[in-house]
Amino acid sequence: MDLITGVFAWMNDQLLKMVWLNDLVGAFVSDVLGLPLGERLGASIQFFLYDTVKIFVLLSALIFAISYVQSYFPPERTKRILGRFNGIWGNVLGALLGTITPFCSCSSIPLFIGFTSAGLPLGVTFSFLISSPLVDLASVILLASIFNWRIAIAYVVVGLVLAVAGGSIISALKLERYVEPFVYGTHLADADLPEMTRRDRIAFAWQAVADIVKRVWPYVLAGVGIGAVIHGWIPETWVSAVLGTANPFSPVIATIVGVPMYADIFGTLPIAEALVAKGVGLGTVLAFMMAVTALSLPSLVMLKKVVKTPLLATFFGLVVTGILIIGYGFNAVGAWFV
């Protein structure tokens, strides 16, 4: 058992956390650039270079693997699968299928329209809409690479619970009348696609890597840059005063700050890493990440084009309430996850 634990710990440190890369970047910054790692500039540059390389390496490998699996579940097949389930199990399946679609909140809107127009229950489509940008398989690995497996798995679990609960409540409220009429009139082609060969799936996966990296790289660099500034230049006392566990409103502040932003979870992870290092509560950090990914202002604007105000307000209120419950809950028990 000790041998297995040791091997797992080594793989976690070297393959996920990439400790070797952190040491290599540290040597480059201190020996080549001549910047002491104990000072602000050197620490910030090391943080920026290490996190940027690590995130893009892991992101590319993970998106390739996930997209290869996703090639078995095109939208047409996904609609057929979801159409077989009703009630809570439909919401559960919608949330789970959202985890294998690495879309940002805006990219999930067209699929939401397609699913709704195909006659899928509104609650199921909202479970998918909440889950897709909030939780994906790549986020599990990236969270584990930055924090640990407990936090990664807990994030996925609460994200799925939020998606299932939100979709179930929307279903129970019978809000279909608040979907814009044109959505139900948008009938997408439901043709059977030819079966993909292994070569086709590999090409599909590489194309997904290229598309997603092209889409997210500005947000990753922006997130790493903000994280580097927080890590190296903003005093811990300042961050703790605003977002520390001593401030009872810290999850609320984190949620308010997160909503106007627009980024994938990959862009929020470096900021979360820096905030945790400065003593911010785990729940506050998770609230910030969830607000950015699930409730970004651009996605709300797009969603307003396809649903009416009462449904949009219900969706927003449910997700905000869920995020705050998660934030305060994790702040209360956060020590267990460290």
Side-chain angles (χ1 to χ4, degrees):
M1 183 63 67
D2 290 340
L3 177 61
I4 295 176
T5 303
V7 170
F8 182 80
W10 180 87
M11 293 177 62
N12 188 69
D13 288 342
Q14 302 303 323
L15 299 181
L16 293 182
K17 293 185 179 294
M18 295 189 186
V19 174
W20 59 271
L21 177 63
N22 189 47
D23 295 338
L24 186 63
V25 171
F28 172 77
V29 173
S30 61
D31 298 341
V32 177
L33 299 183
L35 298 173
L37 299 180
E39 297 184 0
R40 290 178 175 177
L41 184 58
S44 296
I45 292 177
Q46 182 192 25
F47 182 99
F48 183 85
L49 294 177
Y50 164 63
D51 266 42
T52 299
V53 174
K54 181 181 72 171
I55 288 175
F56 277 118
V57 169
L58 287 176
L59 180 62
S60 298
L62 293 169
I63 293 301
F64 179 86
I66 293 168
S67 298
Y68 189 90
V69 174
Q70 188 189 353
S71 67
Y72 291 92
F73 298 95
E76 293 78 9
R77 184 171 299 172
T78 303
K79 285 189 290 186
R80 294 193 194 105
I81 294 172
L82 288 174
R84 299 172 188 166
F85 295 84
N86 293 306
I88 186 67
W89 292 112
N91 295 111
V92 170
L93 188 59
L96 289 174
L97 285 175
T99 66
I100 62 173
T101 54
F103 300 134
C104 63
S105 51
C106 288
S107 302
S108 301
I109 303 297
L111 281 177
F112 168 81
I113 296 174
F115 291 163
T116 304
S117 68
L120 296 182
L122 187 64
V124 174
T125 60
F126 266 99
S127 288
F128 175 88
L129 184 64
I130 296 170
S131 171
S132 184
L134 195 63
V135 181
D136 61 65
L137 298 179
S139 67
V140 182
I141 307 298
L142 287 170
L143 276 165
S145 74
I146 290 177
F147 301 116
N148 58 51
W149 281 102
R150 283 184 178 182
I151 293 175
I153 294 173
Y155 176 85
V156 172
V157 170
V158 296
L160 289 174
V161 170
L162 175 58
V164 173
S168 298
I169 294 173
I170 287 175
S171 178
L173 293 175
K174 307 294 185 183
L175 299 174
E176 286 77 7
R177 64 187 182 278
Y178 295 115
V179 177
E180 292 292 349
F182 81 88
V183 174
Y184 293 116
T186 305
H187 296 291
L188 303 182
D190 201 21
D192 290 323
L193 297 178
E195 187 66 26
M196 299 175 71
T197 65
R198 176 182 293 183
R199 179 175 295 180
D200 293 334
R201 297 188 193 283
I202 292 175
F204 173 82
W206 277 121
Q207 186 60 48
V209 172
D211 291 343
I212 291 176
V213 169
K214 181 179 180 181
R215 174 165 54 83
V216 307
W217 73 263
Y219 306 112
V220 172
L221 292 183
V224 176
I226 294 171
V229 171
I230 295 172
H231 177 77
W233 295 89
I234 299 181
E236 184 174 327
T237 53
W238 293 8
V239 178
S240 296
V242 178
L243 296 176
T245 54
N247 184 352
F249 299 105
S250 58
V252 178
I253 296 172
T255 303
I256 293 173
V257 170
V259 169
M261 299 177 66
Y262 175 63
D264 295 80
I265 188 173
F266 315 117
T268 64
L269 283 170
I271 302 175
E273 180 184 12
L275 290 174
V276 168
K278 292 291 184 180
V280 176
L282 178 60
T284 301
V285 171
L286 294 184
F288 169 76
M289 292 173 59
M290 289 181 165
V292 172
T293 53
L295 292 175
S296 67
L297 189 58
S299 71
L300 293 175
V301 172
M302 289 184 63
L303 189 59
K304 181 63 178 68
K305 302 295 183 181
V306 297
V307 302
K308 298 177 182 178
T309 301
L311 179 52
L312 181 67
T314 301
F315 164 75
F316 183 84
L318 287 172
V319 176
V320 167
T321 300
I323 288 174
L324 292 178
I325 292 172
I326 291 168
Y328 281 106
F330 273 84
N331 275 350
V333 299
W336 186 82
F337 291 94
V338 178

